[in-house]
């Protein structure tokens, strides 16, 4: 049985589109049953609808600081769709600790840095300011702290001296679109285990490749 997944977005939804694309494969262990946005004008809603995915809008603005009120409506929508797993894809609203605890181990987020470096806003600007030579993207389980939690998968890119936040963001976004579907595949197929604050993955062979930046001979 495929795991039932909701994707929560606030804007463009390119990670959402990558997840929807991957989930079209017959052998993918999850299906995207709903895309939910807290903004009616999120461009990703049209992309989801064009793919035949049910969409819902729960405007967060009228709730103001009443996070629990917003989450009660969100939870109802998740229940109505029998959602088992949540993927956040550029969902720019904080949750209460209660909601996060209820979904602990079942809610993923993607952030465009190698966490725990550069959480929060402007991660690409933060990376360039710090002068790191390698940056990337992280898929992690959601905990109450923003852009933190057990790390499921990361992908890296070299940072060039002439990178701008925009050029770096574009390269990292390509990595995001590759790792998010793979991370969901691992979670939905039962290969992921939480071990305290750490995420362990079974059935992964080898350690993959090495990256040195700047490149050396
Ligand atoms: C992505 O780069 C995602 O990693 C980032 O927002 C962008 C959403 O783009 N998320 C965060 O910064 C979370 N703190 P998308 O709507 O095209 O997927």
């Amino acid at each position: 049985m495929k795991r039932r997944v909701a994707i929560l977005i606030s804007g463009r939804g390119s990670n959402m589109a990558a997840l929807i694309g991957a989930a079209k494969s017959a052998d993918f262990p999850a299906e995207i049953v709903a895309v939910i946005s807290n903004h009616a004008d999120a461009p990703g809603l049209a992309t989801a609808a064009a793919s035949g995915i049910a969409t819902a809008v729960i405007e967060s603005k009228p709730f103001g600081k009443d996070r629990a009120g917003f989450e009660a409506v969100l939870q109802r929508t998740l229940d109505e769709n029998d959602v088992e797993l949540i993927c956040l894809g550029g969902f720019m609203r904080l949750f209460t600790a209660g909601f996060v605890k209820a979904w602990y181990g079942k809610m993923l987020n993607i952030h465009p840095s190698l966490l725990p470096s550069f959480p929060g806003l402007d991660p690409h600007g933060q990376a360039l300011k710090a002068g790191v030579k390698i940056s990337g993207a992280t898929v992690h389980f959601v905990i109450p702290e923003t852009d933190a939690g057990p790390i499921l998968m990361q992908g890296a890119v070299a940072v060039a001296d002439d990178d701008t936040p925009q050029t770096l963001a574009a390269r990292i976004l390509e990595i995001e679109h590759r790792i998010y579907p793979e991370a969901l595949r691992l979670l939905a197929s039962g290969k992921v285990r939480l071990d305290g604050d750490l995420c362990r993955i079974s059935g992964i062979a080898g350690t993959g490749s090495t990256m040195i930046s700047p490149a050396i001979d």
Side-chain angles (χ1 to χ4, degrees):
M1 277 292 277
K2 291 185 183 237
R3 309 298 303 278
R4 296 176 65 82
V5 177
I7 306 174
L8 272 53
I9 64 168
S10 297
R12 177 178 57 183
S14 72
N15 278 291
M16 171 209 76
L19 292 168
I20 289 173
K24 280 188 183 146
S25 295
D27 66 350
F28 197 80
E31 61 178 318
I32 313 304
V33 296
V35 167
I36 304 170
S37 174
N38 64 325
H39 295 314
D41 58 0
L45 286 168
T47 314
S51 298
I53 309 282
T55 62
V57 174
I58 308 166
E59 279 289 356
S60 49
K61 209 164 183 189
F63 289 94
K65 290 202 167 82
D66 179 15
R67 295 191 188 286
F70 171 80
E71 288 164 3
V73 181
L74 174 60
Q75 184 63 55
R76 203 157 58 230
T77 307
L78 296 168
D79 290 342
E80 281 164 6
N81 288 283
D82 293 322
V83 170
E84 300 170 276
L85 301 171
I86 296 175
C87 289
L88 305 181
F91 185 70
M92 296 303 184
R93 183 170 172 93
L94 301 176
F95 292 112
T96 63
F99 186 86
V100 171
K101 277 188 191 132
W103 283 92
Y104 182 64
K106 295 178 284 188
M107 179 157 59
L108 296 177
N109 181 43
I110 188 158
H111 182 75
S113 74
L114 292 175
L115 292 173
S117 292
F118 319 132
L121 296 176
D122 191 22
H124 309 103
Q126 291 187 59
L128 293 176
K129 196 163 171 220
V132 294
K133 303 303 182 207
I134 294 174
S135 191
T138 304
V139 178
H140 64 95
F141 286 99
V142 176
I143 62 171
E145 197 184 329
T146 305
D147 298 327
I151 291 171
L152 204 172
M153 191 177 284
Q154 294 184 303
V157 301
V159 180
D161 282 354
D162 61 356
D163 260 324
T164 64
Q166 290 73 27
T167 60
L168 183 57
R171 265 200 328 287
I172 290 178
L173 196 62
E174 286 179 28
I175 297 286
E176 294 184 49
H177 297 165
R178 288 172 60 192
I179 65 173
Y180 212 173
E182 288 312 310
L184 177 59
R185 182 197 298 275
L186 288 171
L187 177 61
S189 57
K191 294 197 171 117
V192 172
R193 179 172 56 85
L194 285 172
D195 178 6
D197 292 339
L198 303 181
C199 174
R200 308 286 190 196
I201 300 159
S202 55
I204 296 292
T207 53
S209 57
T210 300
M211 181 192 280
I212 297 176
S213 173
I216 53 171
D217 290 334

